[in-house]
Amino acid sequence: MNKLVQFGEEVEGYNIKVLNEREIRAAAGILFLAVFLSLMFIAFEGNFVPVKYVLTAFLTDFSIRIFVSPKFSPTLIIGRLIVRNQNPEYVGAQQKKVAWIIGLILSSVMFVLLVVVNAYSYITGIVCLICLIFMFFETAFGICIGCKLYGLFYKEKAQYCPGEICDVKSKAEIQKTSIVQIAMVLIFIAFLLTTARFFDAKFHEKPYDLFEKSEK
């Protein structure tokens, strides 16, 4: 029974319980997409129904991860199925638990305000934005922001972090950024700002239906 409800998996060669970062990132991507799409319904139609369903699923999923076991989290199971042909990337389970507790707290606040109280405010907006940022960084960059807060709660150093970011090491040549590359990014930003200045009115024009005009 203990093995069924334990937090993390015992893998040969690792002295602590670990989780598969690949399936975690896949699950984060699923949740990010669900939250993002539900927010689009609010933005364009003023429809709060989808986000209430998403919040209920979000809170339930994170409750299972924390209070039962990540092994039974529906989104992690789906994520495992999606990346089943990829080699696992092991990460320490303990720092992920801290990150997911933060996610549980944030989703609980959203659930109470939007579902139970049935009210929205700048609080729900800020909390939702924080959740999106956390999930986006996890999915897109493999950076677990919540994991970085592990050191605030525990004295020992986190082990087996995604991308080995816990280990201090010198950058490989391919990881270094030159002054020319930085300048290219700045030029790109300047180009976008210049474009916005001179073409803003043009960009605000509503497009016409190409085929409807051709038929005329």
Side-chain angles (χ1 to χ4, degrees):
M1 183 66 182
N2 279 343
K3 290 209 169 186
L4 282 176
V5 297
Q6 69 181 3
F7 194 94
E9 313 265 354
E10 294 178 355
V11 176
E12 187 177 352
Y14 293 83
N15 58 355
I16 61 171
K17 289 185 174 66
V18 294
L19 294 165
N20 184 359
E21 173 66 12
R22 295 190 189 278
E23 65 186 52
I24 291 171
R25 289 180 67 178
I30 293 167
L31 289 172
F32 176 84
L33 182 62
V35 173
F36 183 79
L37 289 177
S38 67
L39 291 179
M40 292 301 97
F41 278 97
I42 296 174
F44 295 109
E45 297 182 7
N47 185 357
F48 285 83
V49 175
V51 78
K52 290 180 180 180
Y53 278 106
V54 170
L55 281 173
T56 303
F58 197 117
L59 180 59
T60 303
D61 189 83
F62 271 67
S63 296
I64 293 172
R65 295 186 193 189
I66 300 299
F67 300 116
V68 183
S69 172
K71 190 181 291 187
F72 300 111
S73 158
T75 57
L76 287 175
I77 294 170
I78 295 170
R80 177 174 292 192
L81 291 171
I82 294 171
V83 300
R84 64 186 179 278
N85 293 325
Q86 300 178 15
N87 290 329
E89 179 186 349
Y90 296 116
V91 294
Q94 197 59 35
Q95 61 260 34
K96 284 294 178 184
K97 188 171 188 177
V98 171
W100 291 345
I101 288 173
I102 295 171
L104 181 68
I105 293 170
L106 293 175
S107 59
S108 297
V109 171
M110 290 286 291
F111 181 83
V112 169
L113 291 176
L114 267 176
V115 179
V116 179
V117 179
N118 196 30
Y120 68 91
S121 66
Y122 66 89
I123 298 175
T124 54
I126 292 172
V127 173
C128 195
L129 179 61
I130 293 172
C131 287
L132 282 174
I133 291 172
F134 274 45
M135 290 185 291
F136 179 76
F137 269 69
E138 178 84 56
T139 305
F141 310 125
I143 297 175
C144 176
I145 298 177
C147 296
K148 289 184 174 291
L149 302 176
Y150 177 83
L152 297 177
F153 303 97
Y154 298 92
K155 291 181 180 179
E156 69 269 18
K157 181 184 175 183
Q159 299 181 61
Y160 309 118
C161 300
E164 301 177 353
I165 60 172
C166 298
D167 304 325
V168 178
K169 56 184 178 181
S170 58
K171 287 186 174 67
E173 193 62 35
I174 198 170
Q175 293 177 293
K176 296 178 181 178
T177 308
S178 69
I179 296 176
V180 175
Q181 288 173 307
I182 297 296
M184 191 64 215
V185 172
L186 295 175
I187 291 170
F188 178 68
I189 294 171
F191 168 75
L192 292 178
L193 292 174
T194 304
T195 302
R197 176 178 174 82
F198 291 101
F199 294 95
D200 185 64
K202 183 67 176 176
F203 287 169
H204 275 79
E205 291 180 10
K206 185 178 179 181
Y208 63 83
D209 188 324
L210 178 64
F211 294 102
E212 185 179 335
K213 189 164 186 178
S214 299
E215 289 172 2
K216 291 180 181 180

